[in-house]
Amino acid sequence: MGMTMTQKIMAAHAGLDEVHAGELIRAKVDMVLANDITGSSLVDYYEENGFDHVFDNEKIALVMDHFVPNKDIKSAEQCMACRSFAKRFGITHWYDVGEMGVEHALLPEKGLVAAGELILGADSHTCTYGALGAFSTGIGTTDLTASVASGETWFKVPSAIRFVLKGKKPAHISGKDIILHIIGMIGVDGALYKSMEFTGEGVASLSMEDRFTICNMAIEAGGKNGIFPVDDAAKAYMEGRVDRPYKIYEADPDAEYEATYEIDLESLEQTVAFPHLPENTHTVSEIAAMEPIKIDQVVIGSCTNGRMQDMRQAAEVLKGKHVAPDVRAIIVPATQAIVKQCIKEGLVDIFIDAGCSFNTPSCGPCMGGHMGILGPGERCVSTTNRNFVGRMGHVDSEIYLASPIVAAESALTGCISGTKLD
Amino acid sequence: MEKKVQGRVHKYGDDVNTDVIIPARYLNIHDMDELSLHCMEDIDPKFVEKANPGDIIVAQDNFGCGSSREHAPVVIKQRGISCVIATTFARIFYRNAINIGLPIMECPEASERIEDGDEVAIDFATGVITNVTKNETYQAAPFPAFIQEIIDAGGLLNSLK
C-alpha cells in the first residue's frame, strides 16, 4: 500500500522506509517555533524542569508577535523572558520588534521552512507551511519544551482526506473562499486527526499566498496538517529564500485516502463564515438575499491573510473610495517586508486615503490581544481564522470571516458584501 | 494519577473551543491559580464559582478545538476537575491534556447520556464510567499503551527525565 505525501515526510524523519496510518513513531524535527505567549511558557517549563540545553540553536525560531509591540506590562515581561532565553542559548532565529512579523508569514518569507521538512510550532496555525510541501503542525508547551530540548517528538501517523481541485480559480476567488467552502462542507471536525492533502490541476491556478491561506486554516477543520504538492510556483517561492537543499515528496499513486472531495474552482463563490464557527458558511449571493448585515469594524491581516497579495487585493477594492461612515477599517500587514512593499507600491496612500488605519505587524486583534478589540454587540468582518465567541473581544461581539476582497468591499458598503474585481 | 474519581458533572455541547476555555486576553498571566479564575469564562461565567474539586466536565464533539494553548487543559486541571469526558477531542488539546496529566476520556455513550448535575464515578483502570444519578454504566476505550506510559510517568517531561 502506498503512502500519502505527509506519511512519506514522517517516514523519512522517523528513519523508516514506510509508515502506516495509526502507527506511533518518533520523528526528528527540522524547525521548532514559538511566539511570545508560548515561548514565555517554554521559559517557565525550562526553569521548572531544570533543562539546560537546546537541541540546536539554529533550528529554533522565536517570534515576538502576539501581544507585540507589547500591549501591557505583563506582555512586556513575557518578551523579556523570551529575550533572555534567546540570548542564553544563542537562538539564531530570534525576531523582536523591528524585524518580527506574524510568525506564519515570517518563517516562509525568511526561508526557514522548506519542502520536505518537518516543522513543529507552539501555535495551532503552524500547519501553514504545508503550502511549501512541508509537514508542519501545532503543539502545546509541553511538546514544545520536549522538542526544543530533544529535537524529536512522537506522532500518531495520520490518515488523509484528499481534495482534488478542478478547473481554474477565478480572479475574485481567493484561497480564503476555497478553505471556507471546504470547512463549510466538512465541518470544524471534518478532518479531525487527519491530513488534508490538496491536489489536482486547479492547484496551478493558486498563488502561494492562496496556498498558505488554505493550509493555515486546515486546523479549523480539525486537521493535523494541510499540504500541497511542490510545483514550479512553490520552487520559485523558495528560490532565493531557502539556502539549503530541500526534498520534494509526492504521494504514491496507490496512497490510501479516507475520502476524496472534488472542488470545482470555477463554480466557487466568495464565502463568509458567520458567528461563531468557521463552518457556518454562506456565499455572498446567499448574503445578498438576506437583510443587510451592518458592521462596525473590518480587520485585514493575520497569519491567514496579511500577505502581499492580500494587501494588493484590498487596495484594488479600496482605491479612490472611502470606507462607510461608522466603520473602522484596520489593516495589519504581516511582516516588515510586506510593509515596505506596501509603501513602495503606493498601497499605504490608498489605504489611508480610504480612511483605513495602517499598522505595524502583529497578531493583534485576531485573538483579542489588542489593536481592534470589539465591544458588546459589535460586528466585525475579519480576514483572520476564528470567529469563536469572544475571540476578538466581548462575548456578545460577532466575527464574520472573509477574504480580503470581501472584507474591503464590506468596509466600503458598511454591510457584508462581495464584489468581483474589475 | 488517581485511579478512581467521583464528582458532579458540568455538561457542555459540541466544539467547546480553547478561546472559551481560557480567553487569549488573559494569556499574559503566568500564575496558573490566577489564570484559572477565568476558566470557562466565555462559555459559562459561573463555572469557577460552581465547580468543586473532583467535578467532571462532560462535552460532545471536538472538545478543545482551536488554539494550541496548553493553558486550556492546565486551567481545567488547576480548578480541580478530575476528568473531561467527550465524544471526541481536538488533537492538540488531546496531546496537551495527556502531556500535563489531565485525565480525558473519549466515550460517545457517556457524552450523550450524562446530563448536567449528574453524579459520575470513573475507574481509569477499567475505563468504566458509572452514572450514579441515573444508575447506568458506560465503557470508555482504554488509552493506547504508549500514551498510558506517558500518563504513568506523570506527564511527558517527567518521562524524558
Side-chain angles (χ1 to χ4, degrees):
Chain A
M1 190 179 66
M3 287 189 283
T4 65
M5 197 172 164
T6 298
Q7 290 166 353
K8 282 190 174 176
I9 297 172
M10 285 193 157
H13 285 79
L16 299 168
D17 290 333
E18 56 181 89
V19 296
H20 303 283
E23 191 177 341
L24 289 158
I25 57 163
R26 285 204 72 81
K28 292 198 179 306
V29 302
D30 295 306
M31 179 59 72
V32 186
L33 162 73
N35 55 50
D36 46 311
I37 295 176
T38 55
S40 56
S41 295
L42 168 74
V43 178
D44 291 345
Y45 282 28
Y46 251 67
E47 280 174 13
E48 284 163 22
N49 290 278
F51 294 143
D52 60 2
H53 71 283
V54 298
F55 85 105
D56 188 335
N57 64 327
E58 295 184 353
K59 293 185 174 177
I60 295 161
L62 285 176
V63 184
M64 304 297 98
D65 62 357
H66 272 59
F67 293 153
V68 177
N70 296 135
K71 74 180 181 106
D72 55 22
I73 294 165
K74 284 177 175 165
S75 307
E77 287 171 345
Q78 289 185 316
C79 288
M80 289 169 75
C82 293
R83 213 169 278 129
S84 50
F85 184 90
K87 286 212 168 81
R88 177 182 171 199
F89 294 110
I91 304 298
T92 318
H93 304 299
W94 158 253
Y95 295 98
D96 206 341
V97 171
E99 291 185 321
M100 70 80 168
V102 177
E103 51 196 343
H104 308 307
L106 189 71
L107 264 60
E109 184 187 286
K110 296 282 183 191
L112 302 184
V113 289
E117 293 183 342
L118 193 154
I119 302 114
L120 293 181
D123 187 279
S124 61
H125 294 106
T126 303
C127 49
T128 307
Y129 317 134
L132 296 171
F135 170 77
S136 59
T137 195
I139 52 170
T141 308
T142 299
D143 279 323
L144 168 73
T145 306
S147 53
V148 164
S150 71
E152 290 186 355
T153 194
W154 66 271
F155 288 113
K156 190 170 172 185
V157 176
S159 59
I161 301 177
R162 178 169 49 182
F163 297 87
V164 182
L165 309 184
K166 301 268 196 190
K168 192 165 176 256
K169 180 190 74 64
H172 67 287
I173 297 296
S174 71
K176 188 60 159 287
D177 301 298
I178 298 170
I179 191 64
L180 287 177
H181 170 78
I182 288 173
I183 297 167
M185 185 171 66
I186 68 172
V188 292
D189 59 354
L192 196 60
Y193 307 127
K194 298 179 179 72
S195 296
M196 298 170 76
E197 299 210 359
F198 302 93
T199 181
E201 94 267 0
V203 169
S205 67
L206 304 186
S207 67
M208 290 312 296
E209 280 99 334
D210 291 322
R211 300 179 203 185
F212 283 124
T213 303
I214 291 171
C215 287
N216 175 272
M217 288 190 70
I219 179 71
E220 309 315 334
K224 188 166 199 156
N225 69 313
I227 198 164
F228 273 86
V230 182
D231 63 2
D232 289 344
K235 288 180 207 163
Y237 183 89
M238 288 185 281
E239 180 73 33
R241 300 178 195 272
V242 177
D243 60 359
R244 59 196 177 279
Y246 58 81
K247 189 147 188 222
I248 297 171
Y249 292 90
E250 287 175 12
D252 287 326
D254 59 343
E256 197 178 36
Y257 295 94
E258 285 200 6
T260 296
Y261 294 93
E262 292 194 351
I263 314 277
D264 176 13
L265 297 178
E266 290 173 30
S267 68
L268 283 187
E269 278 199 69
Q270 289 174 330
T271 300
V272 178
F274 281 32
H276 292 285
L277 284 175
E279 70 184 21
N280 294 339
T281 54
H282 295 274
T283 62
V284 291
S285 29
E286 288 167 3
I287 295 166
M290 299 174 186
E291 286 291 308
I293 302 167
K294 280 179 72 73
I295 59 167
D296 304 287
Q297 180 170 296
V298 164
V299 169
I300 299 175
S302 84
C303 61
T304 311
N305 279 122
R307 296 183 182 79
M308 203 54 222
Q309 172 181 290
D310 304 314
M311 297 295 118
R312 288 186 185 125
Q313 289 182 337
E316 196 176 336
V317 174
L318 294 165
K319 189 172 185 179
K321 297 177 179 161
H322 201 278
V323 300
D326 302 325
V327 172
R328 313 177 299 265
I330 299 168
I331 298 182
V332 194
T335 70
Q336 292 286 64
I338 295 166
V339 172
K340 280 179 76 174
Q341 193 64 26
C342 286
I343 294 168
K344 203 168 151 189
E345 294 183 16
L347 307 191
V348 183
D349 287 337
I350 293 173
F351 294 140
I352 293 174
D353 291 346
C356 306
S357 85
F358 185 79
N359 299 271
T360 197
S362 179
C363 302
C366 173
M367 72 311 172
H370 57 157
M371 297 165 67
I373 306 302
L374 299 171
E378 288 196 319
R379 284 200 191 112
C380 180
V381 176
S382 181
T383 69
T384 54
N385 40 55
R386 291 194 177 123
N387 54 354
F388 298 150
V389 170
R391 170 82 176 175
M392 288 179 77
H394 196 276
V395 288
D396 295 329
S397 59
E398 294 184 348
I399 306 162
Y400 294 76
L401 303 176
S403 72
I405 296 172
V406 171
E409 179 68 14
S410 303
L412 294 177
T413 63
C415 300
I416 302 172
S417 354
T419 181
K420 295 203 170 167
L421 296 175
D422 296 329
Chain B
M1 191 176 108
E2 298 281 335
K3 295 281 183 220
K4 290 182 182 180
V5 297
Q6 180 166 338
R8 201 165 60 88
V9 165
H10 306 271
K11 179 83 187 274
Y12 303 97
D14 290 340
D15 307 311
V16 175
N17 65 76
T18 54
D19 276 291
V20 295
I21 296 172
I22 185 69
R25 58 183 176 274
Y26 300 121
L27 296 186
N28 54 6
I29 299 171
H30 280 241
D31 180 311
M32 290 303 139
D33 272 336
E34 186 189 344
L35 185 65
S36 76
L37 296 174
H38 302 288
C39 183
M40 308 297 271
E41 185 173 290
D42 282 0
I43 188 171
D44 186 359
K46 296 230 182 291
F47 176 80
V48 168
E49 205 178 298
K50 69 188 187 187
N52 293 309
D55 281 2
I56 293 162
I57 289 176
V58 179
Q60 292 171 314
D61 292 346
N62 204 25
F63 187 89
C65 63
S67 114
S68 68
R69 66 191 68 155
E70 197 158 291
H71 312 71
V74 168
V75 293
I76 291 173
K77 189 182 174 194
Q78 202 76 14
R79 293 321 301 169
I81 296 301
S82 61
C83 186
V84 182
I85 299 169
T87 311
T88 54
F89 289 89
R91 65 161 283 276
I92 305 178
F93 184 93
Y94 184 93
R95 280 185 81 118
N96 288 348
I98 301 291
N99 282 341
I100 61 121
L102 171 70
I104 55 173
M105 292 182 127
E106 289 188 335
C107 184
E109 194 192 358
S111 294
E112 193 191 317
R113 294 286 306 158
I114 295 173
E115 292 178 81
D116 193 57
D118 283 358
E119 186 76 12
V120 164
I122 300 167
D123 183 335
F124 291 115
T126 61
V128 172
I129 299 167
T130 304
N131 188 333
V132 179
T133 306
K134 286 198 166 73
N135 197 23
E136 294 176 347
T137 60
Y138 325 106
Q139 180 68 51
F143 286 120
F146 180 82
I147 289 174
Q148 191 61 50
E149 282 168 29
I150 295 175
I151 295 170
D152 291 344
L156 183 68
L157 295 181
N158 284 326
S159 74
L160 282 184
K161 285 178 187 167

